[in-house]
Amino acid sequence: MRKYWRFYWPLALTGVAMVLAVQFQNGALARYPNAVTELAVFALASSTFGFLNAGLNFAPQLSNVFARSPHGKRLSHGFVAVWSLVLTIPLAMIATTPGGAAGVALAYGIDAPLTERVIEYLLYMLPLLFITGQRMFYTGLLVQAQLTGWVTALNAVFLAAAVIALVTGFAIGLEPVLTVVGAQTIAGVLHWGLTALVYRTRYRWPVTLEHETLRVAELLRFFLPMTATGVMFAISRPVLYAFVSRMPDGIASIAALRVAFDFSTMFQQAANQFRHFFVTFGLDDIETKRRFMALVGAGLTAIMLGITLTPLSLWILGGLLGIQGQVLDHATEVLLVMCLMPVVIIARNYFHGTLMVKRRTGSMAIGGVMRVLAIAVLAQAAFAAGWLDHVVAAVILLLGFVAETVVVLVGHTRLKTRAV
């Protein structure tokens, strides 16, 4: 278990560091005039962007699994680069065409001025997909080589660069979009360059080279179902926002959900690192791995509850990030619901990890679709009944992940049955 902990804790800190950057983005926007509107616009823009960016969520797992020989590295690296550019095309169409703007307005039920602001953010975000793909690919290689300490250090650099850029942009009076997206871009390019440098100076090939005859078809069979899972994750928030935006206080509720979801994502990202766990260590010693995951889940939940049920939540959200008024009240209520999320995510990722090791990722895609369907059906029912508010929206998001976990549990069980 000590070996697992030495591997895991740098990755957990990595997940926290990456999401902390988003907290500082929220904090910067909260200090601009019309902060509620700025937070809501960024929530809608980043959710739209995230729908496509989620197609790169499993790029680290791809390089971890397949880049285990010079040929495997070249082919998988080229695959990620091309895939990043392919994902940029629909984002560019949304950001540059009248039909794209009309689709954003229709999806979220927002007026022309808000739509224009969302589109402005998306235009500036266009380069980020390619940058993210490269960062994630090299991160997977460092994890494969168990250089997780370097992964943490580099993500700390990413966070520091993002914070410095945010503070500088706000101090010199840049527009919110330039401050927030500029910070993302600067930090992303720096992280990409440093991660590639560490790979070139520290990485060593596995003793036994693998995937020396790798083909694109094999990459597609492995990656596309996982990509569907990531995309379905990214759709989850926009589906909720599409219903919440039609409520009387929809803009304030979206801003609060954005703040609370982003804060809770720090703990979810720590739970998400278990996707690397099984890919790196395999499926032996499974009972010890289960105990380790249970201990981590209990610890994450305890920390979240300790923050949410004490004045710490008000100090962090209100004092540190500058969230105020109705948004702060709603966000703290949503956080209490989200304390259940780490345990659900770890249970789901236990099954994700075993399915990835066995390269049977189809159930992951089906689970992602089921999550979005569950969220859409429950949100529609709550909206029609007049029950939908920020707390109910958070419960619906949680239930969507429970539905996904049930699906991958069934897939995992079937796989074990076939093996027997």
Side-chain angles (χ1 to χ4, degrees), residues 8 11 58 67 69 96 101 126 145 152 154 160 181 185 217 223 225 230-231 237 270 320 330 335 394:
Y8 172 77
L11 290 180
F58 288 90
S69 66
T96 60
L126 285 175
T152 300
L154 293 173
V181 183
T185 305
F223 189 67
V231 170
R237 288 194 196 183
L320 188 60
H330 286 358
L335 271 180

Side-chain angles (χ1 to χ4, degrees), residues 37-119:
T37 300
E38 296 297 342
L39 285 165
V41 168
F42 185 46
L44 297 177
S46 59
S47 292
T48 306
F49 171 80
F51 170 69
L52 294 162
N53 190 64
L56 297 166
N57 283 356
F58 288 90
Q61 283 76 25
L62 182 81
S63 58
N64 192 341
V65 172
F66 290 105
R68 293 174 178 263
S69 66
H71 171 73
K73 190 265 180 182
R74 282 193 303 270
L75 191 64
S76 55
H77 196 183
F79 178 87
V80 170
V82 171
W83 182 245
S84 302
L85 295 174
V86 168
L87 291 173
T88 304
I89 295 172
L91 182 63
M93 293 179 66
I94 294 171
T96 60
T97 66
V104 169
L106 179 64
Y108 296 120
I110 55 179
D111 58 23
L114 277 178
T115 301
E116 186 178 344
R117 294 290 314 285
V118 172
I119 292 299

Side-chain angles (χ1 to χ4, degrees), residues 232-233 235-238 240-241 257 261 264-265 268 334 337-338 341 344 371 374-375 378-379 390-404:
M232 290 300 105
F233 172 79
I235 293 176
S236 302
R237 288 194 196 183
L240 273 180
Y241 293 158
L257 288 168
F261 287 168
S264 64
T265 300
Q268 295 173 41
V334 171
V337 177
M338 299 305 290
M341 188 65 85
V344 176
R371 183 204 320 137
I375 290 171
L378 291 171
H390 53 285
V391 174
V392 173
V395 172
I396 289 171
L397 184 72
L398 180 68
L399 291 176
F401 279 92
V402 171
E404 179 189 19

Side-chain angles (χ1 to χ4, degrees), residues 99-232:
V104 169
L106 179 64
Y108 296 120
I110 55 179
D111 58 23
L114 277 178
T115 301
E116 186 178 344
R117 294 290 314 285
V118 172
I119 292 299
E120 183 183 16
Y121 269 90
L122 295 178
L123 277 170
Y124 283 103
M125 289 176 171
L126 285 175
L128 290 175
L129 287 171
F130 187 82
I131 294 168
T132 299
Q134 295 302 300
R135 291 171 51 219
M136 295 299 98
F137 180 84
Y138 282 111
T139 296
L141 287 172
L142 298 188
V143 173
Q144 178 204 109
Q146 299 188 30
L147 298 171
T148 53
W150 278 102
V151 173
T152 300
L154 293 173
N155 279 287
V157 172
F158 174 92
L159 175 61
V163 171
I164 291 169
L166 286 167
V167 172
T168 303
F170 181 80
I172 65 177
L174 292 181
E175 292 295 317
V177 63
L178 293 175
T179 297
V180 171
V181 183
Q184 284 181 285
T185 305
I186 291 169
V189 170
L190 178 62
H191 183 264
W192 171 13
L194 292 177
T195 307
L197 178 63
V198 172
Y199 161 75
R200 292 189 177 94
T201 56
R202 298 280 178 173
Y203 179 85
R204 298 293 181 269
W205 293 110
V207 175
T208 303
L209 298 180
E210 301 176 45
H211 306 296
E212 295 182 279
T213 60
L214 180 67
R215 298 185 180 277
V216 173
E218 189 176 355
L219 292 173
L220 288 170
R221 284 194 300 271
F222 178 84
F223 189 67
L224 289 184
M226 295 193 304
T227 296
T229 301
V231 170
M232 290 300 105

